[in-house]
Amino acid sequence: MITELRTQEFYKIKHLTDPCNNIEVRAVAEGINPGRVYIDHPDEPEAALIWIQGQSDFQIVGNPRSQGFLQGLDSYMRTYLEPELVKQNIHGVEIVPENREWGETIRAIFHPRHLSHDIQHVFGLIEDNVPPALEAVLSSPLIITRMDKETLRPGRYKNYAFLEHKILHYWNSIEEFLQHGIGYIAECNEKVASVCFSGFVAGSTHAADVETVEEFRGQYYAAGAVRAFVKECCRCNFQPYWDCSRDNMGSIRLAEGAGLSLDFSYPIFWYNLAPSKEESEFMEIHGEQVLLSSLAVDDLDFMSSTLCNKNLWYYEESVEENKAEVREKYRSRIQDAGNKDHYDFVIRRATDPERTPIGIIKLWSYVGFRSSWELGYALLPEYSGNGYGIEAVRLLLQFAFEQLKAHKVVGMCNSHNERSAALMERSGMVREGVFKEELNWQGRWVDQYFYAILEKEFIHS
């Protein structure tokens, strides 16, 4: 079961992060830089997913065959982490694997997500080859200022907000940055023109972050700040760490111009959280005990096996037999997301981080011009007796009347199906009629009960 560690428990993953080349995970694990940690076991973690706040991405370390992650990470991301990202206006998930084997595991876990991938380069001070200062190529002296308590005080620069925002993106406070990091500012007319500072710190390694204010770009300000940062690392026996994408030639030139050389490369994977046509119609209806989620491609196996389960549909006249045909039928319905004549939901327990499906519930148009709808449902027997079915029906009725503006919702069942009849009655539906010998069931004619509830009855129930 995947759980989140409290900050004071981050020491539990140091054995996983200490061997990592990427210093960001070590910076978070050591409590230097802000982040969050999710693990596969609360006491003896074998794998960890680490949210790197400063980079707005995840890094994943440890055992790439962790069963906790293989079985639960996808659903944990969907249920807990992705909604949080969307709330922060982040519409993509980036994941950095510790090694190649983790890359294969990420593909296996997130294969339905249309994964993209690329390569990042990390430059370091491989040789003592720091070039001379930039003054020789400038028409006027470059003002480079070391970041300290005085230069970081509010009001020191006209565009101080830019500087403060940059630092607090990586650090919890200006004070924490001053305690652990170093940095330099290239100034112009009492403004910050460019800045290069420690975005992450782990041990003696300082990961550089650099940015130039738009009006000062292309004027060597960034090069001056970077050059000063690298020289300070040399003086203090720190190792500079420069991370950039392989196609960011401007960043690569800055690194090489400061005497840094390519140290290693690593892959990065990402997928988009912006909804596709089908996903834009995806809904989740939350109750106290259950969650109704729109049928998705990942649910097709469950849907087909459920609809072909003769034990679940014992009281029906006939039961689907061909799982492949059922699967294709519902795949087409997912793709036809604009069709508003039917709604298919999977029932899950609200508190289950694994999002295990426990049943299905459906709503389809009964008589369109009368705004009436019909419902159907099935709950796996091992989950019956817990109130899941009754809450699922009530949630669907609420959806029908509040969202679809239904006038009436009906439901029908075999007169011998006492459990289904009782469930509809407990949900507020009323038996309005009996269809005499309507069903040819088990080789004999039996009655069918007709239940219904009106909008005004639901509102007052």
Side-chain angles (χ1 to χ4, degrees), residues 231-285:
K231 285 188 174 182
E232 171 107 349
C233 286
C234 293
R235 286 194 298 269
C236 298
N237 202 27
F238 295 156
Q239 174 61 257
Y241 178 103
W242 186 281
D243 191 338
C244 65
S245 63
R246 62 179 174 180
D247 57 354
N248 189 343
M249 298 310 300
S251 183
I252 292 173
R253 283 194 295 269
L254 268 177
E256 293 176 339
L260 305 182
S261 303
L262 181 62
D263 187 4
F264 66 93
S265 301
Y266 64 90
I268 183 170
F269 295 84
W270 71 90
Y271 58 87
N272 197 348
L273 289 178
S276 64
K277 177 184 176 182
E278 297 87 0
E279 292 169 335
S280 65
E281 301 296 329
F282 184 84
M283 291 179 290
E284 287 192 336
I285 305 173

Side-chain angles (χ1 to χ4, degrees), residues 15-194:
H15 66 290
L16 303 177
T17 58
D18 282 348
C20 295
N21 285 327
N22 296 69
I23 77 158
E24 297 87 356
V25 294
R26 288 185 274 132
V28 171
E30 293 170 10
I32 304 298
N33 290 93
R36 301 174 72 172
V37 175
Y38 308 89
I39 55 174
D40 58 348
H41 191 281
D43 299 315
E44 299 178 352
E46 293 186 359
L49 181 73
I50 304 166
W51 170 249
I52 312 295
Q53 179 176 304
Q55 290 186 323
S56 299
D57 68 12
F58 294 96
Q59 298 201 23
I60 193 165
V61 301
N63 179 10
R65 293 177 293 281
S66 161
Q67 289 303 305
F69 275 12
L70 286 170
Q71 297 174 5
L73 184 57
D74 177 57
S75 61
Y76 192 86
M77 290 287 294
R78 289 182 186 274
T79 306
Y80 298 103
L81 303 186
E82 292 175 6
E84 284 193 22
L85 294 178
V86 172
K87 288 178 182 177
Q88 298 175 47
N89 203 31
I90 299 173
H91 296 288
V93 175
E94 293 186 1
I95 305 177
V96 176
E98 178 186 2
N99 51 43
R100 178 173 294 182
E101 192 172 359
W102 260 121
E104 295 171 357
T105 300
I106 288 173
R107 287 189 176 94
I109 293 174
F110 298 105
H111 68 90
R113 309 295 193 90
H114 307 294
L115 276 175
S116 300
H117 71 278
D118 204 347
I119 300 295
Q120 291 283 114
H121 289 331
V122 172
F123 291 79
L125 196 59
I126 308 303
E127 299 177 359
D128 187 12
N129 187 31
V130 180
L134 280 178
E135 280 77 0
V137 296
L138 294 176
S139 58
S140 60
L142 192 64
I143 302 174
I144 303 294
T145 305
R146 192 180 192 278
M147 296 169 69
D148 57 21
K149 190 173 182 179
E150 169 58 24
T151 55
L152 295 183
R153 66 174 173 80
R156 172 65 174 79
Y157 297 102
K158 293 178 180 178
N159 57 349
Y160 174 79
F162 161 79
L163 183 61
E164 181 182 44
H165 175 77
K166 284 295 298 179
I167 295 173
L168 295 183
H169 183 70
Y170 291 91
W171 298 88
N172 286 319
S173 67
I174 300 292
E175 290 72 22
E176 286 194 16
F177 163 72
L178 290 172
Q179 179 183 353
H180 299 285
I182 60 172
Y184 282 85
I185 297 167
E187 300 183 25
C188 182
N189 298 327
E190 299 181 1
K191 288 184 177 181
V192 176
S194 187

Side-chain angles (χ1 to χ4, degrees), residues 333-372:
R333 285 170 70 149
I334 292 173
Q335 294 173 341
D336 186 19
N339 190 329
K340 304 301 184 181
D341 290 335
H342 52 74
Y343 295 87
D344 305 309
F345 294 93
V346 175
I347 306 172
R348 311 178 197 274
R349 289 173 295 170
T351 57
D352 179 14
E354 307 297 326
R355 294 175 62 91
T356 304
I358 66 172
I360 60 173
I361 190 163
K362 303 160 52 163
L363 191 69
W364 60 94
S365 178
Y366 181 58
V367 181
F369 69 91
R370 294 175 182 163
S371 299
S372 61

Side-chain angles (χ1 to χ4, degrees), residues 320-339:
E320 300 277 6
E321 296 183 354
N322 191 317
K323 291 184 180 179
E325 290 182 0
V326 172
R327 181 184 174 89
E328 187 56 35
K329 170 185 174 181
Y330 281 89
R331 180 189 293 277
S332 298
R333 285 170 70 149
I334 292 173
Q335 294 173 341
D336 186 19
N339 190 329

